[in-house]
Amino acid sequence: MDLDPRLLRYFIAVAEELSFSRAAKRLHISQPPLSYAIRQLELHLGAQLFVRSSRQVVLTPAGRALYGEAQYLLQRNADVKRLVSRIDAGLQGQLKIAFVGSALYRNLPDVLHQCRQQYPDVEHILLELNSAEQIELVERGGLDIGFIHANPVPDSVSCTELVSEPFSICLPASHPLAERKHIDLVDVAQEDFVFFSRALSPVYYETLFSMCLKAGFFPAVKYEARHWLSVVSLVAQQMGVSIVPSCLARSGMSGIRLLPFRHQQQSVTSLIWRTAPFSQIKANHVALIRAAYSGAHT
């Protein structure tokens, strides 16, 4: 049975004051409308809520039962309004965020910490996925925000560049060239190479491959790995050399050296999200993330 919140507030005032005149003054209304409202509530419920006399007003058993329920209903009504308002404002809810592994070394943990601090009532669900998986999920609506390597995206997906940095040549620490300050890519032309998986990120694979071709050699790609940490781990085990984003110098991996070399390609991390439908919670986070990276030194 639906109960008018206004009638419940009137009832609570009378129940607490046990006086129609005092309750009317508390509610800033005159007494006749208050008396009429209580009669309407009693008719609606089919029960007498007060015993009235010229000397006093007393709650009936039904009135005492309604008093506790009325307080709960009004509080629940306020809670629902607050919840809906916060969700509409993007302050509460759930957000699914995916990232490529290298983003962990491009300020992603700090940025996610900012998100949690600014939106503590938002549940952030984190997934590590490759770029192609993220683009597909964002397009289908199964993912809210993604951190990807530079890749073409469909028209239904918005994309903005966050970080651009050079690549480095990754060598085993024991490699004869590892003590140099910088080298040329052609210096490792005869080495076995470890590349990021072509199946998972054809754009990244082709980028690395084309860098070698421009340097004048056809790379012998002996191993492909699904994660950048796997790439540098294979290098550390002297399984080959690689070309990796410079941020992997911050991975803490032992047994490797990252050396700069001359090239024009950049390793790019981009932020993606579904263009429509509009979501305030998503819009809030996109704005925060873009601002965080625009002020970051990576």
Side-chain angles (χ1 to χ4, degrees):
M1 182 181 292
D2 294 331
L3 293 175
D4 186 341
R6 178 181 62 89
L7 294 181
L8 291 179
R9 286 193 294 271
Y10 286 4
F11 166 75
I12 288 173
V14 177
E16 291 178 347
E17 298 292 341
L18 293 178
S19 166
F20 277 81
S21 60
R22 289 196 299 270
K25 185 175 182 181
R26 168 174 155 180
L27 294 166
H28 304 291
I29 61 174
S30 60
Q31 186 172 330
L34 176 59
S35 298
Y36 176 78
I38 296 300
R39 283 197 298 273
Q40 290 298 110
L41 181 60
E42 290 177 322
L43 287 172
H44 184 67
L45 293 173
Q48 185 178 0
L49 302 175
F50 298 100
V51 176
R52 308 164 179 82
S53 70
S54 58
R55 308 175 84 181
Q56 63 180 351
V57 175
V58 179
L59 276 167
T60 66
R64 286 194 294 272
L66 178 60
Y67 178 67
E69 292 300 319
Q71 289 180 312
Y72 168 79
L73 289 172
L74 287 180
Q75 182 59 52
R76 180 61 181 155
N77 185 57
D79 290 343
V80 169
K81 286 183 177 180
R82 181 176 181 273
L83 173 64
V84 171
S85 176
R86 287 180 62 79
I87 291 175
D88 184 62
L91 301 176
Q92 191 165 340
Q94 185 185 87
L95 204 71
K96 293 181 180 179
I97 302 173
F99 59 93
V100 292
S102 62
L104 292 172
Y105 310 109
R106 288 173 167 166
N107 291 337
L108 178 60
D110 290 340
V111 171
L112 291 178
H113 181 66
Q114 290 182 45
C115 291
R116 288 193 295 269
Q117 279 194 319
Q118 188 155 335
Y119 300 104
D121 293 325
V122 173
E123 180 186 8
H124 298 99
I125 299 176
L126 304 179
L127 306 165
E128 184 179 2
L129 300 171
N130 66 59
S131 298
E133 291 170 330
Q134 291 186 49
I135 293 168
E136 181 183 355
L137 278 175
V138 167
E139 187 177 21
R140 293 200 334 243
L143 183 67
D144 296 300
I145 288 174
F147 291 79
I148 67 168
H149 297 308
N151 269 271
V153 298
D155 293 339
S156 60
V157 175
S158 296
C159 181
T160 185
E161 182 180 309
L162 295 177
V163 183
S164 178
E165 64 178 355
F167 286 94
S168 293
I169 296 176
C170 183
L171 302 174
S174 59
H175 195 282
L177 301 176
E179 296 306 316
R180 291 193 184 181
K181 292 185 177 180
H182 58 82
I183 60 175
D184 292 324
L185 189 53
V186 72
D187 293 337
V188 292
Q190 302 305 313
E191 302 282 349
D192 291 339
F193 275 83
V194 182
F195 272 14
F196 196 88
S197 170
R198 184 175 193 171
L200 295 183
S201 186
V203 173
Y204 235 105
Y205 187 97
E206 294 301 329
T207 296
L208 303 184
F209 208 90
S210 66
M211 292 167 71
C212 295
L213 293 181
K214 288 180 181 179
F217 69 96
F218 195 91
V221 181
K222 297 295 186 180
Y223 305 97
E224 295 184 23
R226 296 175 58 89
H227 303 282
W228 280 115
L229 283 183
S230 298
V231 171
V232 296
S233 293
L234 286 169
V235 173
Q237 296 300 316
Q238 303 183 42
M239 304 297 288
V241 302
S242 188
I243 305 169
V244 303
S246 297
C247 66
L248 288 177
R250 298 192 285 274
S251 69
M253 179 69 67
S254 60
I256 60 169
R257 284 290 309 279
L258 267 63
L259 300 178
F261 67 105
R262 295 189 189 92
H263 63 280
Q264 294 181 336
Q265 297 284 356
Q266 293 283 297
S267 176
V268 176
T269 296
S270 298
L271 182 71
I272 60 170
W273 66 96
R274 193 177 179 191
T275 305
F278 175 82
S279 163
Q280 190 61 55
I281 189 173
K282 185 165 58 180
N284 289 348
H285 281 72
V286 167
L288 187 155
I289 291 166
R290 295 178 70 173
Y293 273 96
S294 67
H297 301 285
T298 57

